[in-house]
Amino acid sequence: MAPNDLMSNAEDVADQFLRVTKQYLPHIARLCLISTFLEDGIRMWFQWSEQKEYIETTWSCGFFLATLFVLINLLGQLGGCILILSRNFVQYACFGLFAIIALQTVAYSILWDPKFLMRNLALGGGLLLLLAESRSEGRSMFAGVPTMRESSPKQYMQLGGRVLLVLMFMTLLHFDTSFLSILQNLVGTALIVLVAIGFKTKLAALTLVIWLLAINVYFNAFWTIPAYKPMHDFLKYDFFQTTSVIGGLLLIVALGPGGVSMDEKKKEW
């Protein structure tokens, strides 16, 4: 089978998937995207003392500031998730969750860990896509005069969200000389480039969803580790953060890449 025929068949399968799931795919995407915030907010409740003690010890900030940090994380994350799922004040919820990411990046010294920093940036990319989805297109000041799509902030939010989202996959590349690793790196790099530039975007994003879902279930199976072991919490955190990136990719599959993309430019050509 020729490569063009293979690509055409794959796109047909992706289109069929979208036709079947278009009613509920955006809802699944939003639920996946906020899953890491929901899990972390619940964890703040059940590990209140441990989290407070960690912040107080690490930063020597005293009881009050440590308690305030945990409280902001708990209420900010759970409140933001409730607003997003109920479709109320979504933009404010997204900005609140952006602030939570920034706060945790500093508080947990993620800023100096390239792997976790890229994953936090990818999570921010997912929120940016959600923010773009919730943002209504600006109306023209004059009736009947359309706005320029290229100048819409929504289009650039989608571009920024796509670029940040694929940073997750930079943390999955394995730099060794085995054939399987080289093949995985080549295929993965090709797919993330396609998503970033917005070419064959829905097919590339759907392929990344399947790939990332398989990796997540296989490598981050926290349910196989006893709850009292530290590895359980580590894998659980990684699992839900990866699920959030899957949610961002599903938003791209459901809504497309936006105006600043090669797919959109092809329509003009």
Side-chain angles (χ1 to χ4, degrees):
M1 183 180 292
N4 287 340
D5 293 336
L6 186 62
M7 181 66 70
S8 179
N9 289 339
E11 288 182 318
D12 289 341
V13 171
D15 288 339
Q16 180 63 31
F17 171 80
L18 288 175
R19 282 193 292 270
V20 172
T21 61
K22 65 179 181 180
Q23 297 293 333
Y24 48 87
L25 189 59
H27 303 291
I28 296 174
R30 284 192 292 271
L31 180 60
C32 288
L33 206 157
I34 58 95
S35 63
T36 189
F37 299 106
L38 191 61
E39 185 275 331
D40 197 50
I42 294 172
R43 184 164 57 89
M44 289 289 171
W45 175 268
F46 286 103
Q47 297 181 1
W48 177 279
S49 299
E50 293 92 328
Q51 294 295 324
K52 180 175 63 64
E53 183 179 348
Y54 172 82
I55 294 299
E56 188 174 359
T57 303
T58 302
W59 293 96
S60 302
C61 58
F63 174 83
F64 176 76
L65 289 179
T67 302
L68 184 62
F69 171 84
V70 178
L71 186 63
I72 288 173
N73 274 271
L74 191 155
L75 296 179
Q77 291 183 104
L78 294 183
C81 291
I82 291 171
L83 291 177
I84 287 171
L85 291 177
S86 64
R87 307 298 291 160
N88 292 311
F89 305 104
V90 175
Q91 295 186 38
Y92 293 105
C94 286
F95 285 125
L97 293 178
F98 276 127
I100 294 292
I101 292 175
L103 183 63
Q104 290 188 353
T105 298
V106 175
Y108 295 116
S109 302
I110 293 173
L111 197 61
W112 315 117
D113 188 324
K115 177 181 176 180
F116 285 100
L117 179 59
M118 283 194 285
R119 292 193 173 197
N120 267 18
L121 289 172
L123 190 58
L127 285 177
L128 203 56
L129 290 170
L130 185 59
L131 187 62
E133 186 223 1
S134 68
R135 184 186 178 93
S136 58
E137 291 285 354
R139 297 180 179 178
S140 174
M141 293 177 63
F142 303 98
V145 180
T147 56
M148 293 294 290
R149 292 171 63 185
E150 290 80 0
S151 62
S152 168
K154 178 177 178 178
Q155 313 301 327
Y156 293 103
M157 287 181 188
Q158 289 174 295
L159 172 62
R162 292 200 319 269
V163 171
L164 289 175
L165 202 62
V166 299
L167 290 177
M168 164 63 79
F169 296 90
M170 300 301 292
T171 68
L172 302 177
L173 299 179
H174 300 286
F175 299 100
D176 58 60
T177 57
S178 69
F179 174 77
L180 188 60
S181 292
I182 293 173
L183 180 63
Q184 178 179 306
N185 289 348
L186 289 175
V187 173
T189 301
L191 289 171
I192 64 178
V193 168
L194 289 176
V195 171
I197 66 176
F199 182 66
K200 305 287 185 182
T201 317
K202 291 185 178 182
L203 176 59
L206 186 58
T207 305
L208 285 175
V209 166
I210 297 170
W211 181 30
L212 196 54
L213 186 61
I215 289 175
N216 201 26
V217 172
Y218 183 78
F219 288 105
N220 296 323
F222 65 89
W223 52 88
T224 64
I225 306 294
Y228 63 85
K229 291 190 175 182
M231 183 58 71
H232 176 90
D233 281 346
F234 176 80
L235 291 179
K236 190 176 182 181
Y237 170 81
D238 215 25
F239 178 88
F240 282 103
Q241 195 170 50
T242 305
T243 301
S244 290
V245 174
I246 290 174
L249 287 168
L250 286 174
L251 273 182
I252 295 176
V253 174
L255 305 173
V260 187
S261 64
M262 290 188 67
D263 284 342
E264 194 67 23
K265 295 300 180 185
K266 281 197 309 180
K267 297 177 183 179
E268 300 175 5
W269 298 339

